[in-house]
mmCIF file of all heavy atoms in Angstrom:
data_model
loop_
_atom_site.group_PDB
_atom_site.id
_atom_site.type_symbol
_atom_site.label_atom_id
_atom_site.label_comp_id
_atom_site.label_asym_id
_atom_site.label_seq_id
_atom_site.Cartn_x
_atom_site.Cartn_y
_atom_site.Cartn_z
ATOM 1 N N VAL A 76 116.024 134.634 73.466
ATOM 2 C CA VAL A 76 116.588 134.033 74.682
ATOM 3 C C VAL A 76 116.655 135.025 75.845
ATOM 4 O O VAL A 76 117.345 134.783 76.837
ATOM 5 C CB VAL A 76 117.989 133.413 74.414
ATOM 6 C CG1 VAL A 76 117.882 132.196 73.536
ATOM 7 C CG2 VAL A 76 118.947 134.434 73.826
ATOM 8 N N ALA A 77 115.927 136.127 75.717
ATOM 9 C CA ALA A 77 115.815 137.139 76.777
ATOM 10 C C ALA A 77 117.165 137.693 77.222
ATOM 11 O O ALA A 77 117.455 137.790 78.414
ATOM 12 C CB ALA A 77 115.035 136.576 77.966
ATOM 13 N N MET A 78 118.002 138.061 76.237
ATOM 14 C CA MET A 78 119.301 138.677 76.547
ATOM 15 C C MET A 78 119.374 140.040 75.880
ATOM 16 O O MET A 78 118.899 140.211 74.752
ATOM 17 C CB MET A 78 120.450 137.820 76.019
ATOM 18 C CG MET A 78 120.645 136.527 76.750
ATOM 19 S SD MET A 78 122.054 135.619 76.066
ATOM 20 C CE MET A 78 121.482 133.944 76.271
ATOM 21 N N ASP A 79 119.983 140.983 76.571
ATOM 22 C CA ASP A 79 120.161 142.301 75.988
ATOM 23 C C ASP A 79 121.241 142.256 74.909
ATOM 24 O O ASP A 79 121.957 141.255 74.754
ATOM 25 C CB ASP A 79 120.489 143.344 77.061
ATOM 26 C CG ASP A 79 121.778 143.044 77.800
ATOM 27 O OD1 ASP A 79 122.824 142.833 77.151
ATOM 28 O OD2 ASP A 79 121.752 143.019 79.046
ATOM 29 N N ALA A 80 121.343 143.340 74.151
ATOM 30 C CA ALA A 80 122.248 143.380 72.996
ATOM 31 C C ALA A 80 123.698 143.093 73.370
ATOM 32 O O ALA A 80 124.391 142.349 72.664
ATOM 33 C CB ALA A 80 122.133 144.739 72.296
ATOM 34 N N ALA A 81 124.180 143.667 74.463
ATOM 35 C CA ALA A 81 125.576 143.458 74.862
ATOM 36 C C ALA A 81 125.829 142.005 75.262
ATOM 37 O O ALA A 81 126.856 141.421 74.902
ATOM 38 C CB ALA A 81 125.942 144.394 76.009
ATOM 39 N N THR A 82 124.896 141.412 75.983
ATOM 40 C CA THR A 82 125.075 140.033 76.432
ATOM 41 C C THR A 82 125.062 139.065 75.258
ATOM 42 O O THR A 82 125.933 138.196 75.152
ATOM 43 C CB THR A 82 123.977 139.659 77.457
ATOM 44 O OG1 THR A 82 124.048 140.565 78.551
ATOM 45 C CG2 THR A 82 124.156 138.226 77.956
ATOM 46 N N ILE A 83 124.098 139.211 74.355
ATOM 47 C CA ILE A 83 124.019 138.279 73.226
ATOM 48 C C ILE A 83 125.225 138.446 72.312
ATOM 49 O O ILE A 83 125.720 137.464 71.766
ATOM 50 C CB ILE A 83 122.679 138.386 72.457
ATOM 51 C CG1 ILE A 83 122.479 137.172 71.528
ATOM 52 C CG2 ILE A 83 122.575 139.676 71.671
ATOM 53 C CD1 ILE A 83 122.395 135.850 72.214
ATOM 54 N N LYS A 84 125.737 139.659 72.189
ATOM 55 C CA LYS A 84 126.935 139.870 71.356
ATOM 56 C C LYS A 84 128.108 139.082 71.922
ATOM 57 O O LYS A 84 128.811 138.393 71.187
ATOM 58 C CB LYS A 84 127.282 141.354 71.267
ATOM 59 C CG LYS A 84 128.515 141.624 70.416
ATOM 60 C CD LYS A 84 128.751 143.095 70.244
ATOM 61 C CE LYS A 84 129.964 143.476 69.441
ATOM 62 N NZ LYS A 84 130.671 142.481 68.704
ATOM 63 N N GLY A 85 128.301 139.141 73.232
ATOM 64 C CA GLY A 85 129.384 138.388 73.865
ATOM 65 C C GLY A 85 129.194 136.889 73.724
ATOM 66 O O GLY A 85 130.152 136.159 73.448
ATOM 67 N N VAL A 86 127.969 136.428 73.889
ATOM 68 C CA VAL A 86 127.670 134.999 73.746
ATOM 69 C C VAL A 86 127.967 134.548 72.320
ATOM 70 O O VAL A 86 128.633 133.528 72.100
ATOM 71 C CB VAL A 86 126.203 134.703 74.132
ATOM 72 C CG1 VAL A 86 125.789 133.299 73.732
ATOM 73 C CG2 VAL A 86 125.999 134.908 75.639
ATOM 74 N N VAL A 87 127.493 135.297 71.333
ATOM 75 C CA VAL A 87 127.732 134.948 69.929
ATOM 76 C C VAL A 87 129.227 134.949 69.628
ATOM 77 O O VAL A 87 129.735 134.037 68.964
ATOM 78 C CB VAL A 87 126.960 135.891 68.984
ATOM 79 C CG1 VAL A 87 127.438 135.758 67.539
ATOM 80 C CG2 VAL A 87 125.457 135.620 69.076
ATOM 81 N N ASN A 88 129.940 135.943 70.117
ATOM 82 C CA ASN A 88 131.388 135.998 69.875
ATOM 83 C C ASN A 88 132.096 134.754 70.434
ATOM 84 O O ASN A 88 132.976 134.191 69.782
ATOM 85 C CB ASN A 88 131.994 137.260 70.490
ATOM 86 C CG ASN A 88 131.630 138.515 69.728
ATOM 87 O OD1 ASN A 88 131.129 138.458 68.600
ATOM 88 N ND2 ASN A 88 131.847 139.664 70.338
ATOM 89 N N ARG A 89 131.717 134.326 71.635
ATOM 90 C CA ARG A 89 132.341 133.147 72.234
ATOM 91 C C ARG A 89 131.969 131.875 71.469
ATOM 92 O O ARG A 89 132.816 131.003 71.251
ATOM 93 C CB ARG A 89 131.975 133.051 73.719
ATOM 94 C CG ARG A 89 132.740 134.089 74.567
ATOM 95 C CD ARG A 89 132.483 133.945 76.047
ATOM 96 N NE ARG A 89 131.172 134.407 76.459
ATOM 97 C CZ ARG A 89 130.814 135.682 76.596
ATOM 98 N NH1 ARG A 89 131.680 136.641 76.336
ATOM 99 N NH2 ARG A 89 129.609 136.000 76.998
ATOM 100 N N LEU A 90 130.722 131.768 71.050
ATOM 101 C CA LEU A 90 130.302 130.600 70.264
ATOM 102 C C LEU A 90 131.002 130.575 68.905
ATOM 103 O O LEU A 90 131.399 129.513 68.428
ATOM 104 C CB LEU A 90 128.780 130.589 70.077
ATOM 105 C CG LEU A 90 127.954 130.316 71.331
ATOM 106 C CD1 LEU A 90 126.468 130.537 71.046
ATOM 107 C CD2 LEU A 90 128.198 128.909 71.873
ATOM 108 N N GLU A 91 131.162 131.735 68.314
ATOM 109 C CA GLU A 91 131.833 131.818 67.018
ATOM 110 C C GLU A 91 133.313 131.454 67.146
ATOM 111 O O GLU A 91 133.854 130.724 66.300
ATOM 112 C CB GLU A 91 131.670 133.219 66.417
ATOM 113 C CG GLU A 91 132.048 133.302 64.958
ATOM 114 C CD GLU A 91 131.575 134.579 64.283
ATOM 115 O OE1 GLU A 91 131.330 135.589 64.963
ATOM 116 O OE2 GLU A 91 131.465 134.552 63.041
ATOM 117 N N ALA A 92 133.938 131.905 68.213
ATOM 118 C CA ALA A 92 135.358 131.587 68.438
ATOM 119 C C ALA A 92 135.571 130.086 68.607
ATOM 120 O O ALA A 92 136.642 129.563 68.281
ATOM 121 C CB ALA A 92 135.875 132.335 69.676
ATOM 122 N N ARG A 93 134.564 129.386 69.066
ATOM 123 C CA ARG A 93 134.639 127.930 69.257
ATOM 124 C C ARG A 93 134.167 127.163 68.031
ATOM 125 O O ARG A 93 134.127 125.935 68.044
ATOM 126 C CB ARG A 93 133.812 127.534 70.469
ATOM 127 C CG ARG A 93 134.376 128.130 71.761
ATOM 128 C CD ARG A 93 133.508 127.867 72.948
ATOM 129 N NE ARG A 93 133.390 126.439 73.173
ATOM 130 C CZ ARG A 93 132.536 125.904 74.017
ATOM 131 N NH1 ARG A 93 131.719 126.644 74.706
ATOM 132 N NH2 ARG A 93 132.490 124.596 74.178
ATOM 133 N N GLY A 94 133.780 127.883 66.982
ATOM 134 C CA GLY A 94 133.340 127.224 65.753
ATOM 135 C C GLY A 94 131.944 126.627 65.828
ATOM 136 O O GLY A 94 131.588 125.779 65.009
ATOM 137 N N LEU A 95 131.141 127.088 66.781
ATOM 138 C CA LEU A 95 129.801 126.545 66.960
ATOM 139 C C LEU A 95 128.739 127.327 66.197
ATOM 140 O O LEU A 95 127.657 126.806 65.919
ATOM 141 C CB LEU A 95 129.447 126.490 68.450
ATOM 142 C CG LEU A 95 130.389 125.624 69.299
ATOM 143 C CD1 LEU A 95 130.086 125.798 70.784
ATOM 144 C CD2 LEU A 95 130.302 124.163 68.880
ATOM 145 N N VAL A 96 129.038 128.569 65.883
ATOM 146 C CA VAL A 96 128.158 129.402 65.057
ATOM 147 C C VAL A 96 129.007 130.173 64.067
ATOM 148 O O VAL A 96 130.225 130.301 64.229
ATOM 149 C CB VAL A 96 127.301 130.395 65.896
ATOM 150 C CG1 VAL A 96 126.479 129.682 66.940
ATOM 151 C CG2 VAL A 96 128.150 131.484 66.525
ATOM 152 N N MET A 97 128.337 130.688 63.037
ATOM 153 C CA MET A 97 129.018 131.584 62.098
ATOM 154 C C MET A 97 128.102 132.752 61.804
ATOM 155 O O MET A 97 126.870 132.644 61.906
ATOM 156 C CB MET A 97 129.408 130.867 60.819
ATOM 157 C CG MET A 97 128.274 130.229 60.069
ATOM 158 S SD MET A 97 128.896 129.313 58.656
ATOM 159 C CE MET A 97 128.011 130.113 57.363
ATOM 160 N N SER A 98 128.698 133.874 61.508
ATOM 161 C CA SER A 98 127.918 135.056 61.155
ATOM 162 C C SER A 98 128.339 135.540 59.772
ATOM 163 O O SER A 98 129.468 135.313 59.342
ATOM 164 C CB SER A 98 128.090 136.154 62.205
ATOM 165 O OG SER A 98 129.429 136.589 62.233
ATOM 166 N N ARG A 99 127.386 136.154 59.101
ATOM 167 C CA ARG A 99 127.651 136.738 57.789
ATOM 168 C C ARG A 99 126.702 137.893 57.586
ATOM 169 O O ARG A 99 125.699 138.013 58.278
ATOM 170 C CB ARG A 99 127.493 135.689 56.688
ATOM 171 C CG ARG A 99 126.122 135.077 56.610
ATOM 172 C CD ARG A 99 126.025 134.051 55.482
ATOM 173 N NE ARG A 99 124.866 133.212 55.607
ATOM 174 C CZ ARG A 99 123.614 133.589 55.381
ATOM 175 N NH1 ARG A 99 123.356 134.812 55.015
ATOM 176 N NH2 ARG A 99 122.613 132.736 55.524
ATOM 177 N N LYS A 100 127.033 138.724 56.620
ATOM 178 C CA LYS A 100 126.150 139.851 56.323
ATOM 179 C C LYS A 100 124.825 139.343 55.784
ATOM 180 O O LYS A 100 124.780 138.385 55.013
ATOM 181 C CB LYS A 100 126.796 140.794 55.315
ATOM 182 C CG LYS A 100 127.892 141.638 55.927
ATOM 183 C CD LYS A 100 128.198 142.843 55.069
ATOM 184 C CE LYS A 100 129.307 143.609 55.733
ATOM 185 N NZ LYS A 100 128.987 144.987 55.880
ATOM 186 N N ASP A 101 123.767 139.999 56.218
ATOM 187 C CA ASP A 101 122.421 139.677 55.729
ATOM 188 C C ASP A 101 122.345 140.049 54.252
ATOM 189 O O ASP A 101 122.781 141.124 53.848
ATOM 190 C CB ASP A 101 121.389 140.471 56.541
ATOM 191 C CG ASP A 101 119.963 140.085 56.249
ATOM 192 O OD1 ASP A 101 119.667 139.629 55.129
ATOM 193 O OD2 ASP A 101 119.124 140.239 57.149
ATOM 194 N N GLU A 102 121.821 139.141 53.448
ATOM 195 C CA GLU A 102 121.711 139.386 52.001
ATOM 196 C C GLU A 102 120.715 140.485 51.681
ATOM 197 O O GLU A 102 120.855 141.179 50.671
ATOM 198 C CB GLU A 102 121.337 138.090 51.281
ATOM 199 C CG GLU A 102 122.419 137.034 51.379
ATOM 200 C CD GLU A 102 121.966 135.672 50.859
ATOM 201 O OE1 GLU A 102 120.858 135.567 50.302
ATOM 202 O OE2 GLU A 102 122.739 134.716 51.038
ATOM 203 N N VAL A 103 119.707 140.672 52.530
ATOM 204 C CA VAL A 103 118.683 141.691 52.293
ATOM 205 C C VAL A 103 119.119 143.037 52.855
ATOM 206 O O VAL A 103 119.016 144.058 52.185
ATOM 207 C CB VAL A 103 117.330 141.250 52.919
ATOM 208 C CG1 VAL A 103 116.286 142.347 52.774
ATOM 209 C CG2 VAL A 103 116.849 139.958 52.288
ATOM 210 N N ASP A 104 119.605 143.055 54.065
ATOM 211 C CA ASP A 104 120.034 144.287 54.735
ATOM 212 C C ASP A 104 121.515 144.155 55.051
ATOM 213 O O ASP A 104 121.902 143.575 56.060
ATOM 214 C CB ASP A 104 119.219 144.492 56.015
ATOM 215 C CG ASP A 104 119.556 145.806 56.714
ATOM 216 O OD1 ASP A 104 120.561 146.460 56.357
ATOM 217 O OD2 ASP A 104 118.812 146.165 57.645
ATOM 218 N N ARG A 105 122.354 144.696 54.207
ATOM 219 C CA ARG A 105 123.808 144.532 54.324
ATOM 220 C C ARG A 105 124.391 145.208 55.566
ATOM 221 O O ARG A 105 125.559 145.040 55.873
ATOM 222 C CB ARG A 105 124.517 145.070 53.069
ATOM 223 C CG ARG A 105 124.032 144.465 51.746
ATOM 224 C CD ARG A 105 124.356 143.016 51.566
ATOM 225 N NE ARG A 105 125.776 142.781 51.418
ATOM 226 C CZ ARG A 105 126.341 141.595 51.538
ATOM 227 N NH1 ARG A 105 125.622 140.539 51.791
ATOM 228 N NH2 ARG A 105 127.635 141.455 51.407
ATOM 229 N N ARG A 106 123.584 145.965 56.283
ATOM 230 C CA ARG A 106 124.075 146.617 57.507
ATOM 231 C C ARG A 106 124.068 145.678 58.701
ATOM 232 O O ARG A 106 124.689 145.962 59.710
ATOM 233 C CB ARG A 106 123.226 147.842 57.845
ATOM 234 C CG ARG A 106 123.329 148.949 56.811
ATOM 235 C CD ARG A 106 122.307 150.005 57.080
ATOM 236 N NE ARG A 106 120.974 149.405 56.910
ATOM 237 C CZ ARG A 106 119.829 150.013 57.177
ATOM 238 N NH1 ARG A 106 119.824 151.228 57.636
ATOM 239 N NH2 ARG A 106 118.678 149.404 56.985
ATOM 240 N N ARG A 107 123.341 144.588 58.616
ATOM 241 C CA ARG A 107 123.256 143.688 59.764
ATOM 242 C C ARG A 107 123.832 142.323 59.435
ATOM 243 O O ARG A 107 123.949 141.941 58.269
ATOM 244 C CB ARG A 107 121.827 143.571 60.278
ATOM 245 C CG ARG A 107 120.929 142.743 59.445
ATOM 246 C CD ARG A 107 119.550 142.631 60.072
ATOM 247 N NE ARG A 107 118.781 141.685 59.285
ATOM 248 C CZ ARG A 107 117.657 141.165 59.631
ATOM 249 N NH1 ARG A 107 117.123 141.515 60.781
ATOM 250 N NH2 ARG A 107 117.035 140.317 58.863
ATOM 251 N N TYR A 108 124.162 141.623 60.494
ATOM 252 C CA TYR A 108 124.698 140.271 60.374
ATOM 253 C C TYR A 108 123.641 139.270 60.813
ATOM 254 O O TYR A 108 122.832 139.546 61.692
ATOM 255 C CB TYR A 108 125.955 140.108 61.230
ATOM 256 C CG TYR A 108 127.162 140.762 60.615
ATOM 257 C CD1 TYR A 108 127.402 142.118 60.792
ATOM 258 C CD2 TYR A 108 128.058 140.027 59.860
ATOM 259 C CE1 TYR A 108 128.504 142.723 60.220
ATOM 260 C CE2 TYR A 108 129.160 140.626 59.286
ATOM 261 C CZ TYR A 108 129.382 141.973 59.465
ATOM 262 O OH TYR A 108 130.464 142.566 58.901
ATOM 263 N N VAL A 109 123.684 138.101 60.200
ATOM 264 C CA VAL A 109 122.842 136.993 60.629
ATOM 265 C C VAL A 109 123.750 135.894 61.157
ATOM 266 O O VAL A 109 124.898 135.756 60.729
ATOM 267 C CB VAL A 109 121.925 136.468 59.499
ATOM 268 C CG1 VAL A 109 120.884 137.517 59.138
ATOM 269 C CG2 VAL A 109 122.723 136.046 58.287
ATOM 270 N N ILE A 110 123.208 135.138 62.081
ATOM 271 C CA ILE A 110 123.979 134.099 62.758
ATOM 272 C C ILE A 110 123.275 132.769 62.543
ATOM 273 O O ILE A 110 122.048 132.695 62.546
ATOM 274 C CB ILE A 110 124.080 134.403 64.268
ATOM 275 C CG1 ILE A 110 124.823 135.721 64.477
ATOM 276 C CG2 ILE A 110 124.796 133.306 65.020
ATOM 277 C CD1 ILE A 110 124.059 136.712 65.221
ATOM 278 N N GLU A 111 124.083 131.733 62.341
ATOM 279 C CA GLU A 111 123.521 130.389 62.254
ATOM 280 C C GLU A 111 124.487 129.393 62.886
ATOM 281 O O GLU A 111 125.682 129.635 62.983
ATOM 282 C CB GLU A 111 123.192 130.013 60.811
ATOM 283 C CG GLU A 111 124.358 129.973 59.865
ATOM 284 C CD GLU A 111 123.904 129.749 58.426
ATOM 285 O OE1 GLU A 111 123.020 128.905 58.201
ATOM 286 O OE2 GLU A 111 124.435 130.438 57.544
ATOM 287 N N ALA A 112 123.920 128.281 63.320
ATOM 288 C CA ALA A 112 124.733 127.220 63.919
ATOM 289 C C ALA A 112 125.526 126.508 62.835
ATOM 290 O O ALA A 112 125.040 126.315 61.720
ATOM 291 C CB ALA A 112 123.832 126.219 64.652
ATOM 292 N N THR A 113 126.741 126.139 63.157
ATOM 293 C CA THR A 113 127.551 125.331 62.247
ATOM 294 C C THR A 113 127.203 123.854 62.458
ATOM 295 O O THR A 113 126.473 123.507 63.399
ATOM 296 C CB THR A 113 129.054 125.523 62.547
ATOM 297 O OG1 THR A 113 129.300 125.066 63.889
ATOM 298 C CG2 THR A 113 129.485 126.979 62.386
ATOM 299 N N ALA A 114 127.750 122.996 61.617
ATOM 300 C CA ALA A 114 127.543 121.550 61.800
ATOM 301 C C ALA A 114 128.058 121.126 63.170
ATOM 302 O O ALA A 114 127.417 120.321 63.864
ATOM 303 C CB ALA A 114 128.242 120.772 60.684
ATOM 304 N N LYS A 115 129.185 121.674 63.589
ATOM 305 C CA LYS A 115 129.742 121.363 64.917
ATOM 306 C C LYS A 115 128.782 121.798 66.022
ATOM 307 O O LYS A 115 128.574 121.068 67.003
ATOM 308 C CB LYS A 115 131.105 122.058 65.076
ATOM 309 C CG LYS A 115 131.789 121.797 66.390
ATOM 310 C CD LYS A 115 133.138 122.519 66.444
ATOM 311 C CE LYS A 115 133.803 122.356 67.807
ATOM 312 N NZ LYS A 115 135.051 123.121 67.892
ATOM 313 N N GLY A 116 128.175 122.963 65.873
ATOM 314 C CA GLY A 116 127.209 123.461 66.850
ATOM 315 C C GLY A 116 125.963 122.594 66.903
ATOM 316 O O GLY A 116 125.449 122.289 67.984
ATOM 317 N N ARG A 117 125.477 122.185 65.736
ATOM 318 C CA ARG A 117 124.297 121.311 65.688
ATOM 319 C C ARG A 117 124.588 119.960 66.334
ATOM 320 O O ARG A 117 123.758 119.420 67.064
ATOM 321 C CB ARG A 117 123.818 121.144 64.239
ATOM 322 C CG ARG A 117 123.133 122.400 63.689
ATOM 323 C CD ARG A 117 122.469 122.142 62.341
ATOM 324 N NE ARG A 117 123.414 121.822 61.283
ATOM 325 C CZ ARG A 117 124.120 122.708 60.589
ATOM 326 N NH1 ARG A 117 123.980 123.999 60.832
ATOM 327 N NH2 ARG A 117 124.962 122.318 59.665
#
Side-chain angles (χ1 to χ4, degrees):
V76 291
M78 290 181 214
D79 61 52
T82 302
I83 195 62
K84 180 175 179 11
V86 169
V87 167
N88 288 347
R89 286 185 286 284
L90 291 172
E91 193 166 23
R93 296 174 61 191
L95 300 171
V96 304
M97 58 184 238
S98 64
R99 60 179 165 73
K100 285 198 181 231
D101 188 332
E102 295 171 7
V103 176
D104 184 348
R105 305 293 292 165
R106 295 170 296 174
R107 75 177 187 168
Y108 284 84
V109 293
I110 298 123
E111 62 187 317
T113 62
K115 181 179 176 184
R117 287 189 295 279

